[in-house]
Amino acid sequence: MKKLSWKHLNQGLTRRSLLQSSAALLSVPLIATAAGAQPQDKLAGSGEVVVFSYGGTFSEAARKHVFRPFTKATGIEVVDVVADFAEPHIKAMHQAGRFDWDIAFVEARNFPEMSEAGMFEPIDYTLWDEESIQGTPSDSRLKEAFVVGITAELLTYDKRTFADRGPKSWADFWDVRKFPGPRGLMGDLGIFDLQFALLADGVAARDIWPLDDKQIDRALKKLDEIKPHVVKWWVAGGEPTQLLLRGEYAMTAAHNNRVIQAIRTGAPFEMVYEGSCLVKTLGTILHGGPNTANAQKLVAFLNRAQIAAEWTLGTGWPGANTNQLKHLPPDLARLLSVNPDNASLAVTQDSAWLAKKRSDGKTNSDHLEERFLAWKAH
């Protein structure tokens, strides 16, 4: 695998750019390639399927590792269309009464409202093989969606600073006497920082969600303690790894896929999954799309264990099927959020609650962000 320079780790704000850089750094061949995996006859067909994608190296990796093998195995052509985010396009097509796409990826917190509006088809799980069903938890197999990507926001520290005596929890992150050094936290998504503050203040993981105003007050009070030690509130996804590498951070919150990229290219970083925040992105089949039957077949193909591993290797964005781990390089498998050893230590973001509307018409997510940004400004 070609070793990329550190400047590739700092490429902008969007999910699209984040996924493109993940794809560039994690794409390596499997011992047994996806092209050699033969789906059941029920996946064979003809025609095409239109799939949303993020462009750049993400789309290139998806074509190489999944789309072309799918076409070779089934006879169905895959046409990918590019945008930063799918949701605005899906809503516009729904309003127009015509869907030009078949498959799209949506943020979990945007899914409930869109589902209620009738934008998605039920997933046909009868097309999934037994290994896919067994490896994918039931809460990742929704009626109208499946988990296509799982990322984690987590504590990461520089091993050059702490060696084998680094922080093990968010309580340690707050302990500036035992673990001295400059800190980093995300500056524009307070949802994560509020969770970390509550965990540091002794709230049990099971009691984090939902966040009422009393909990928000408690979290902000705890953030008051660490605020003087946060030397930079980062926004761009590549900033934490860059600042850690340059010694400007001793520890920070960071996107796990960015940290994994860095570790696999030689960075002296350690990730702490204890108290991390898992965020799920959902794959959906659009209601009334032009090729719904073929979309169901591609979804079933994508979730086969060996193909799921190829998806992870190509895009850096693991789906929920844990059976993929046996097809991945061990040094990568141990780092992923989909690894049960890591997932068991994490807190899954309550996307359904975040999407709910408050009495003032705002979503809970909007309310949290307003409270956090107002606190940060003072």
Side-chain angles (χ1 to χ4, degrees), residues 271-282:
M271 296 187 298
V272 179
Y273 269 98
E274 181 72 43
S276 61
C277 183
L278 292 186
V279 181
K280 297 179 179 179
T281 299
L282 303 179

Side-chain angles (χ1 to χ4, degrees), residues 162-209:
F162 298 106
D164 296 328
R165 299 178 298 278
K168 303 300 181 185
S169 67
W170 289 105
D172 289 346
F173 185 92
W174 256 254
D175 190 342
V176 296
R177 290 187 177 182
K178 185 177 180 181
F179 302 97
R183 265 65 166 166
L185 286 172
M186 187 181 293
D188 65 339
L189 288 175
I191 292 172
F192 299 110
D193 296 338
L194 293 170
Q195 173 188 307
F196 302 151
L198 288 172
L199 290 170
D201 204 37
V203 177
R206 65 179 180 276
D207 297 326
I208 295 293
W209 299 99

Side-chain angles (χ1 to χ4, degrees), residues 288-311:
N291 310 284
T292 301
N294 286 344
Q296 297 283 6
K297 293 176 180 179
L298 178 53
V299 165
F301 185 81
L302 172 59
N303 284 281
R304 295 170 67 90
Q306 192 170 340
I307 308 304
E310 286 280 352
W311 174 260

Side-chain angles (χ1 to χ4, degrees), residues 49-53 67 78-82 101-105 298:
V49 56
V50 182
V51 183
F52 162 81
S53 188
F67 297 163
V78 179
V79 178
D80 51 34
V81 293
V82 173
W101 304 351
D102 297 299
I103 296 174
F105 311 143
L298 178 53

Side-chain angles (χ1 to χ4, degrees), residues 43-324:
L43 298 190
S46 60
E48 67 180 23
V49 56
V50 182
V51 183
F52 162 81
S53 188
Y54 295 103
T57 52
F58 180 90
S59 290
E60 292 170 7
R63 292 170 195 147
K64 176 183 177 181
H65 290 263
V66 178
F67 297 163
R68 289 174 190 150
F70 174 73
T71 298
K72 182 177 181 180
T74 68
I76 300 169
E77 294 288 336
V78 179
V79 178
D80 51 34
V81 293
V82 173
D84 274 342
F85 298 97
E87 288 90 337
H89 299 273
I90 298 172
K91 292 176 180 178
M93 287 186 281
H94 177 71
Q95 291 175 354
R98 174 182 171 180
F99 281 101
D100 299 319
W101 304 351
D102 297 299
I103 296 174
F105 311 143
V106 302
E107 298 297 325
R109 57 178 154 174
N110 295 328
F111 174 79
E113 182 179 4
M114 297 173 74
S115 176
E116 290 173 7
M119 298 184 190
F120 307 124
E121 289 279 344
I123 304 298
D124 185 0
Y125 291 106
T126 66
L127 292 175
W128 290 34
D129 65 15
E130 184 177 355
E131 192 176 31
S132 301
I133 296 293
Q134 289 180 347
T136 307
S138 58
D139 62 0
S140 294
R141 290 183 279 113
L142 309 180
K143 180 180 179 181
E144 295 181 345
F146 62 97
V147 173
V148 72
I150 304 175
T151 56
E153 191 71 18
L154 44 61
L155 195 167
T156 302
Y157 65 88
D158 188 339
K159 292 194 291 186
R160 294 172 301 183
T161 302
F162 298 106
D164 296 328
R165 299 178 298 278
K168 303 300 181 185
S169 67
W170 289 105
D172 289 346
F173 185 92
W174 256 254
D175 190 342
V176 296
R177 290 187 177 182
K178 185 177 180 181
F179 302 97
R183 265 65 166 166
L185 286 172
M186 187 181 293
D188 65 339
L189 288 175
I191 292 172
F192 299 110
D193 296 338
L194 293 170
Q195 173 188 307
F196 302 151
L198 288 172
L199 290 170
D201 204 37
V203 177
R206 65 179 180 276
D207 297 326
I208 295 293
W209 299 99
L211 287 177
D212 57 25
D213 283 325
K214 184 177 180 180
Q215 282 180 298
I216 297 172
D217 291 340
R218 179 175 178 177
L220 294 177
K221 183 177 180 181
K222 189 66 176 178
L223 282 167
D224 284 335
E225 298 176 13
I226 202 66
K227 192 174 186 179
H229 305 279
V230 177
V231 295
K232 181 176 176 58
W233 298 84
W234 59 266
V235 177
E239 287 183 90
T241 49
Q242 286 280 9
L243 294 170
L244 276 172
L245 185 69
R246 296 202 297 258
E248 295 181 43
Y249 285 158
M251 64 183 77
T252 181
H255 301 314
N256 74 321
N257 49 353
R258 289 285 187 150
V259 182
I260 290 170
Q261 295 165 25
I263 290 172
R264 298 192 84 218
T265 53
F269 301 157
E270 186 72 28
M271 296 187 298
V272 179
Y273 269 98
E274 181 72 43
S276 61
C277 183
L278 292 186
V279 181
K280 297 179 179 179
T281 299
L282 303 179
T284 62
I285 297 175
L286 304 185
H287 178 66
N291 310 284
T292 301
N294 286 344
Q296 297 283 6
K297 293 176 180 179
L298 178 53
V299 165
F301 185 81
L302 172 59
N303 284 281
R304 295 170 67 90
Q306 192 170 340
I307 308 304
E310 286 280 352
W311 174 260
T312 298
L313 279 169
T315 67
W317 203 32
N321 187 351
T322 57
N323 281 326
Q324 71 175 284

